[in-house]
Amino acid sequence: MAAKIISGTEVSKQIKAEIKAEVDGLQAKYDKVPGLVTILIGENPASVSYVTGKQKTAKELGFYSIQDNQSADITEEQLLALIDKYNNDDQINGILVQLPLPKHINETKVLYAISPDKDVDAFHPVSVGRLVIGEAIFKPCTPAGIQELLIRGGVETAGAHVVVVGRSNIVGKPIANMMLQKAKGANSTVTVVHTGTKDAAKYTGDADILIVAAGVPNAVTADMVKDGAAVIDVGVNRIGMTPEGKAKLAGDVDFENVKEKAGLITPVPGGVGPMTITMLMKNTLEAFKYSLQSK
Ligand code: NAP
């Protein structure tokens, strides 16, 4: 039987409506709204497009939002001073520095300069540590989107064998950590597979939930998937151009064949992708609520 296809676009719409309703309620009560600044250094076209999407969504949700464009020759010191300014700005709850940064700027130093209370990307080591010990204020956006798709897709995670393909710091490691927490949408038994794994199919073929973040088209084929498994495809690979001149995208999973075997599957595009920006907005709302509590 063909798998149920879970649309990240639809789930995102629901979550955004929930965020908007909460923002409206908080505004009525406190006369304040969540504030997000996105800092863009230079004019990398992909980065421009990402921050434009983030700003557009923030505005739609009624946030106070600032797009801070800085020239590519900004010094590291100037950028650190700018972050410090936003760390101390009460109207700003979330600070996002769009990566990659120009080569003369130390990325680690910049990400570490963001106050952990405003770290809506959750890349700061304090955020990573909080996530691992089960006390996250913010979960990194893509893994948070994956977990939300599982919850809203009605997938039972407690006691399930979750196999994660990939161990990057932005997807593989955090989602593996999140799924093993004793918490809602988690409490799973987790295995992580990577290029050093011998016989990856032995593990993927036992997964009740298979989360694939390898960055390689067709890294997971139907013979590697258990009947009825929930398959979340995080991969975004450019595999050519459409006749309209747009990038043609594919995930990491052989969608056409795996969908005949899986119980649930996310498409690419339209699966995990749209969830990432939405979870950034959720994190900004959480940061805002956290700031209200700590006053
Ligand atoms: P990454 O940093 O390149 O890491 C890829 C991981 O997959 C590595 O740990 C690598 O193992 C492992 N791997 C690669 N090929 C494998 C294979 N055949 N079998 C098992 N493991 C394999 O990638 P990433 O940043 O996590 O991103 C992964 C994919 O997700 C990319 O396509 C990216 O574009 C996409 N992505 C999407 C979103 C979104 O919003 N939808 C967000 C982030 C990333 P080693 O560690 O051994 O090298």
Side-chain angles (χ1 to χ4, degrees):
M1 205 179 80
K4 171 177 155 191
I5 296 174
I6 180 149
S7 161
T9 310
E10 287 308 312
V11 174
S12 275
K13 269 190 206 157
Q14 287 167 19
I15 299 174
K16 282 192 276 191
E18 291 163 14
I19 295 174
K20 179 81 175 74
E22 203 171 343
V23 170
D24 290 347
L26 289 166
Q27 185 173 21
K29 191 166 172 193
Y30 296 101
D31 196 23
K32 284 181 180 172
V33 292
L36 174 70
V37 60
T38 48
I39 303 175
L40 175 67
I41 315 295
E43 289 169 2
N44 174 322
S47 296
V48 171
S49 145
Y50 291 140
V51 290
T52 306
K54 289 166 187 171
Q55 281 296 322
K56 183 170 166 274
T57 310
K59 288 198 171 72
E60 279 166 13
L61 298 180
F63 288 12
Y64 167 67
S65 64
I66 301 178
Q67 172 55 45
D68 192 330
N69 291 324
Q70 296 289 331
S71 95
D73 59 12
I74 187 172
T75 65
E76 187 177 283
E77 205 180 1
Q78 286 167 329
L79 180 55
L80 293 175
L82 188 67
I83 291 171
D84 192 50
K85 182 184 91 169
Y86 289 121
N87 279 340
N88 291 298
D89 182 340
D90 282 349
Q91 275 188 292
I92 294 295
N93 306 107
I95 302 172
L96 184 137
V97 179
Q98 186 63 47
L99 303 178
L101 296 174
K103 290 209 171 16
H104 67 278
I105 298 178
N106 181 330
E107 201 165 282
T108 306
K109 221 168 163 180
V110 168
L111 295 181
Y112 285 24
I114 297 171
S115 161
D117 292 347
K118 299 189 179 189
D119 179 33
V120 285
D121 248 346
F123 291 156
H124 193 288
V126 169
S127 303
V128 176
R130 283 175 177 165
L131 186 84
V132 172
I133 62 172
E135 291 184 4
I137 302 173
F138 312 116
K139 294 176 181 173
C141 303
T142 301
I146 295 168
Q147 192 175 39
E148 205 59 49
L149 283 175
L150 290 171
I151 294 171
R152 293 180 189 242
V155 178
E156 179 58 86
T157 58
H161 184 198
V162 171
V163 177
V164 178
V165 181
R167 56 175 162 189
S168 71
N169 289 334
I170 63 164
V171 188
K173 280 183 198 154
I175 190 64
N177 265 300
M178 284 160 60
M179 297 310 294
L180 65 78
Q181 300 294 330
K182 201 166 186 174
K184 184 184 166 209
N187 209 14
S188 312
T189 303
V190 180
T191 302
V192 181
V193 165
H194 45 75
T195 60
T197 303
K198 288 181 189 150
D199 192 8
K202 183 171 92 183
Y203 303 99
T204 60
D206 186 55
D208 302 307
I209 300 171
L210 183 59
I211 299 170
V212 190
V216 178
N218 294 329
V220 167
T221 46
D223 56 315
M224 297 168 73
V225 177
K226 182 160 92 176
D227 277 330
V231 180
I232 307 290
D233 190 351
V234 188
V236 180
N237 304 293
R238 285 167 192 263
I239 54 160
M241 300 298 271
T242 65
E244 300 79 41
K246 286 191 173 164
K248 201 168 165 196
L249 302 179
D252 290 346
V253 172
D254 174 7
F255 182 83
E256 286 309 318
N257 293 307
V258 172
K259 81 172 178 357
E260 300 304 323
K261 206 171 176 193
L264 177 148
I265 192 166
T266 58
V268 178
V272 175
M275 294 295 288
T276 300
I277 290 189
T278 303
M279 299 320 286
L280 174 71
M281 302 303 143
K282 185 117 195 274
N283 279 349
T284 307
L285 172 61
E286 291 306 321
F288 175 59
K289 290 186 337 197
Y290 186 73
S291 78
L292 292 173
Q293 277 170 24
S294 52
K295 287 248 155 66

